[in-house]
Amino acid sequence: MSINRPVATALAAALCLLTAACGDSSDSDTASGTTTEAAASRTGYPVTLKNCGRSETFRKAPSRVVLMNGASVAEVSTLLALGLQDRIVANQQTYGMSDVTGRAAAIKALPTGDVKLNDAYDIPREAMLGLRPDLVLSTTSYGFDEKNGFATRDQLKAVGANSYVSPQGCDQDTSKMTVADSYTLLRDMGKVFNVTEKAEKLIAASEKNIAAVSAKIKTETKTPKVMVLFSNMSMGGNDFSSVVAKGIYNDILAKAGGSNAFENASKTSFADLSKEKVAATDVDALVVIGYNDPNPAAYAKKLLKEFPQWPAARNNTYVTLSDSMYLGPSNDLAVEKIAKALHPDAF
């Protein structure tokens, strides 16, 4: 099956327009769009973030947070990881599953604000303003675009609400996204909510896990070619329009000792490929991302049967993942699971 056109449009805007960054005062974060100017008082406030060319000043921790859909769970997962679920008054993000035990249920339990969504499956302007938010989070600037029927950042500011676009989302092109952007999101939310210590602990734990994987596979000489795609999803005209070409996925693959078999198939985050192109490419392993798909493993097995010439098919090498493969606090889980599939003898 394939998702319907409005959902595909929303996903394309968030992921494949793809999906510049927002962070601390390091040189790398400054170059990608965000700096932190002040956290001077004992309470940690005020805090000012420069986000997509705007200054957002927080004088206290937000208590009425709204999360735009954006076909993402990056922002809601980050807030949950930081223990901030009680600050959320409306969440529209869900994958229907998670690589973290209990997270999908925790997301499902969050309030939605009882909002009637628009054709882009997100919160229209009047409904947004009616929620009386003090912080609105969006994966990309698409969520603040007036022509899409959304409240703009200026309109939100006029009613006392801060806004934030996640790393690499300023120009809606997340093709350059890396795991470091997940850490930037954690750090920024740590500063906004005055839980910096918690954010840094999460980052340190992730870095430690990824380093442990790197240590185990450092003697491996082969770099398997991996096909990454979303299961049962169509976003273009060809048979394979949800195949990943660029973005955080490639950084995760590299850390797991693999490479993207279709990295050069598109200049943006997603490639729209014919069946012939897919069949003619050597694929050593599949990574299938389940987006509201209850059985991504069935989709993986179907592909392996359809392309028996792949080394992946001969060796039955595939991995199913969900939120850990995208921007968010759990990229280390994806790195570990993929590495174990690509280099089983190292573990």
Side-chain angles (χ1 to χ4, degrees):
M1 66 177 179
S2 62
I3 60 175
N4 62 39
R5 181 56 51 189
V7 178
T9 301
L11 183 68
L15 296 179
C16 46
L17 286 185
L18 299 201
T19 251
C22 314
D24 61 20
S25 56
S26 67
D27 291 340
S28 61
D29 288 335
T30 300
S32 56
T34 304
T35 60
T36 302
E37 292 181 345
S41 71
R42 286 187 177 183
T43 63
Y45 297 98
V47 169
T48 299
L49 299 182
K50 284 187 176 177
N51 181 255
C52 300
R54 298 174 59 96
S55 291
E56 296 285 333
T57 297
F58 299 82
R59 303 198 179 280
K60 62 180 181 178
S63 61
R64 296 188 59 81
V65 183
V66 176
L67 297 107
M68 300 289 281
N69 178 1
S72 173
V73 286
E75 294 74 29
V76 69
S77 296
T78 296
L79 295 190
L80 288 176
L82 290 170
L84 299 169
Q85 56 269 20
D86 61 330
R87 310 299 178 90
I88 300 170
V89 296
N91 170 59
Q92 295 301 327
Q93 298 184 353
T94 176
Y95 271 3
M97 58 183 61
S98 176
D99 298 316
V100 177
T101 302
R103 180 179 288 166
I107 291 175
K108 187 176 181 180
L110 292 171
T112 63
D114 296 322
V115 172
K116 182 180 180 181
L117 304 181
N118 60 16
D119 289 342
Y121 280 71
D122 222 325
I123 304 174
R125 178 177 55 255
E126 293 306 318
M128 174 65 76
L129 298 178
L131 289 168
R132 298 181 293 108
D134 56 9
L135 173 61
V136 180
L137 303 180
S138 179
T139 305
T140 72
S141 57
Y142 176 88
F144 300 116
D145 194 329
E146 189 170 27
K147 72 175 182 286
N148 297 320
F150 302 135
T152 67
R153 300 186 76 174
D154 285 338
Q155 289 168 345
L156 290 167
K157 188 174 183 179
V159 296
N162 288 105
S163 54
Y164 179 91
V165 176
S166 289
Q168 301 298 339
C170 295
D171 57 2
Q172 300 186 51
D173 178 9
T174 58
S175 61
K176 296 180 177 65
M177 186 183 285
T178 68
V179 172
D181 292 310
S182 293
Y183 299 155
T184 293
L185 178 57
L186 273 167
R187 284 197 172 99
D188 280 355
M189 293 302 100
K191 292 163 186 171
V192 166
F193 290 92
N194 197 24
V195 288
T196 294
E197 185 177 352
K198 175 69 172 177
E200 292 301 330
K201 285 182 178 178
L202 290 171
I203 293 167
S206 175
E207 290 176 331
K208 182 179 179 180
N209 291 344
I210 292 174
V213 170
S214 297
K216 289 180 179 178
I217 64 174
K218 66 180 180 181
T219 59
E220 297 292 326
T221 57
K222 294 183 178 180
T223 305
K225 295 179 180 179
V226 183
M227 180 182 190
V228 182
L229 76 168
F230 285 77
S231 62
N232 290 310
M233 184 175 291
S234 175
M235 294 187 292
N238 284 301
D239 294 324
F240 295 91
S241 57
S242 64
V243 176
V244 169
K246 292 177 173 60
I248 193 171
Y249 320 94
N250 290 0
D251 190 26
I252 290 171
L253 289 179
K255 287 175 166 56
S259 64
N260 190 336
F262 298 96
E263 181 175 1
N264 296 321
S266 174
K267 293 181 179 180
T268 59
S269 291
F270 284 81
D272 191 0
L273 304 175
S274 67
K275 183 176 179 179
E276 291 73 20
K277 171 66 174 178
V278 172
T281 304
D282 283 334
V283 173
D284 297 312
L286 278 178
V287 172
V288 174
I289 304 172
Y291 176 78
N292 286 321
D293 182 350
N295 195 357
Y299 182 73
K301 291 174 182 177
K302 184 186 79 170
L303 284 183
L304 295 179
K305 185 177 181 179
E306 187 175 0
F307 300 100
Q309 72 275 20
W310 285 347
R314 294 196 296 269
N315 299 315
N316 194 36
T317 306
Y318 71 91
V319 176
T320 61
L321 294 166
S322 57
D323 52 346
S324 67
M325 197 63 181
Y326 185 58
L327 181 74
S330 309
N331 297 149
D332 57 309
L333 300 183
V335 171
E336 182 178 7
K337 190 169 182 179
I338 295 171
K340 285 180 177 179
L342 301 184
H343 306 288
D345 293 339
F347 291 86

